[in-house]
Amino acid sequence: MTYQTPAELRIACRAGWAAPTSGHATGFTQCNLIALPQDWAWDFLLFAQRNPKPCPVLDVTEPGGFETALAPGADLRRDLPRYRVWRDGALAEETADAHAVWAEHPDLVTFLIGCSFTFEAPLMQAGIEIRHIAQGCNVPMYLTDRPCRPAGRLAGSLVVSMRPIPADRVAEAVTISGRYPAVHGAPVHVGAPEALGIADLGRPDFGDPVAIRPGEIPVFWACGVTPQAVVMASKPPFAITHAPGHMFVSDVPDREWQA
C-alpha cells in the first residue's frame, strides 16, 4: 500500500507500520532526524553549518521539544516508521516508537535535515526511473572515505545515496536535483565508486542493493545518514536517529525548497 498524504503516513506509523518512505506521500518534504542531548546540540549545529551538503538543516526543536513547524501536531517521537537508538556511538536498538527512550533525556534537541527523496518525484516526472522505488526496496547508501569538516567533538565521513541513471540523462538529473539545494541538491560524484572509497556497489553500508543496467551510471548524492556515521565515529553518549530510509514526512510541499 502506498500512503498518499503525510497524515495517512503518520497514522500508519503510530499503528506500527515500518517501511522505507520513498515513494510515499509524493510531493511532501521528507526529513532525516537526529536528536542529541542539549550539551551536544551546539556541536552538531556547527557541524551542519560546516557540512551543508549532507546536513541541510530544515528545523531545530527547543530542548526537550518533539514538535516541528514543518508539521504542526506531529510527534517526532512516534511519527517515523523506525528509529535507531545510539549509546556511546554504538547502535543499541531499533524501535517503531521512540516515546519511552526519548524520556531518558528530557533535554534532547532534535534536528530535521533535508532528504534526497524530495527531488525523486521531479526526477520521475521527467521520466527518469528511481530504481529503488521500482524494485520496492530501500535506497542504497554508502560510507565514503571523504572526511567531513569536523566541529567541536564531532567528526566523521560523508555518506552518499546512489541512483543508477542512464548515461544520456545524467546531466538532466544533475540539473533537476540541483534545483533543490536545501535537500542535498546536485550530486557530489558521478561514475567511478572507487573514487569515493566504495569497493562494491552490491554491498551498501545502509539500505539495499539495486540493479545497475547496461548503459547506466551510478550517481551519488550527499546523504542525511551522514550524522549516523558521525555518531559512530565521535561516540556521543546518547542519540536517536531515523533508521536509514525511514524518514519523517512533513506537511511542507517539495516545491517550497526549489531554488
Side-chain angles (χ1 to χ4, degrees):
M1 178 178 180
T2 299
Y3 295 101
Q4 301 300 319
T5 70
E8 290 175 352
L9 190 61
R10 290 195 283 270
I11 290 170
C13 290
R14 294 187 186 195
W17 179 83
T21 51
S22 179
H24 292 275
T26 299
F28 291 93
T29 303
Q30 301 204 22
C31 306
N32 303 272
L33 178 146
I34 180 168
L36 292 159
Q38 185 176 7
D39 178 51
W40 286 76
W42 172 253
D43 285 7
F44 186 79
L45 187 62
L46 183 59
F47 181 88
Q49 190 275 333
R50 290 179 175 175
N51 299 278
K53 209 53 175 163
C55 300
V57 174
L58 303 184
D59 196 21
V60 185
T61 70
E62 296 287 343
F66 48 83
E67 298 181 343
T68 171
L70 302 180
D75 186 335
L76 296 175
R77 304 168 299 179
R78 302 173 62 195
D79 288 344
L80 282 72
R82 187 163 294 279
Y83 299 81
R84 284 182 157 188
V85 182
W86 304 84
R87 302 182 189 277
D88 297 315
L91 179 60
E93 64 175 297
E94 288 197 358
T95 180
D97 188 334
H99 186 275
V101 72
W102 209 282
E104 292 183 27
H105 289 268
D107 66 339
L108 288 178
V109 177
T110 303
F111 297 82
L112 293 174
I113 295 168
C115 173
S116 58
F117 291 171
T118 297
F119 55 68
E120 288 182 342
L123 289 172
M124 290 189 292
Q125 288 165 5
I128 298 173
E129 182 183 88
I130 303 300
R131 186 63 39 76
H132 58 272
I133 293 179
Q135 291 187 193
C137 64
N138 203 354
V139 63
M141 295 160 274
Y142 304 86
L143 182 64
T144 75
D145 61 4
R146 291 191 179 182
C148 294
R149 186 181 173 193
R153 294 165 285 180
L154 296 177
S157 295
L158 174 70
V159 174
V160 294
S161 61
M162 188 279 293
R163 294 160 184 82
I165 305 292
D168 62 349
R169 313 264 343 241
V170 168
E172 189 176 358
V174 170
T175 298
I176 291 171
S177 59
R179 297 174 185 149
Y180 297 86
V183 290
H184 303 309
V188 295
H189 183 71
V190 174
E194 60 271 18
L196 294 172
I198 299 170
D200 185 356
L201 289 178
R203 301 185 65 181
D205 297 286
F206 313 92
D208 300 314
V210 296
I212 301 178
R213 298 170 182 158
E216 293 181 335
I217 294 176
V219 180
F220 301 90
W221 281 265
C223 180
V225 174
T226 298
Q228 298 184 38
V230 170
V231 166
M232 289 185 278
S234 304
K235 298 178 172 52
F238 184 81
I240 300 173
T241 69
H242 68 294
H246 298 67
M247 320 305 292
F248 175 72
V249 182
S250 78
D251 292 338
V252 179
D254 292 341
R255 62 178 178 272
E256 294 295 321
W257 310 110
Q258 186 171 346

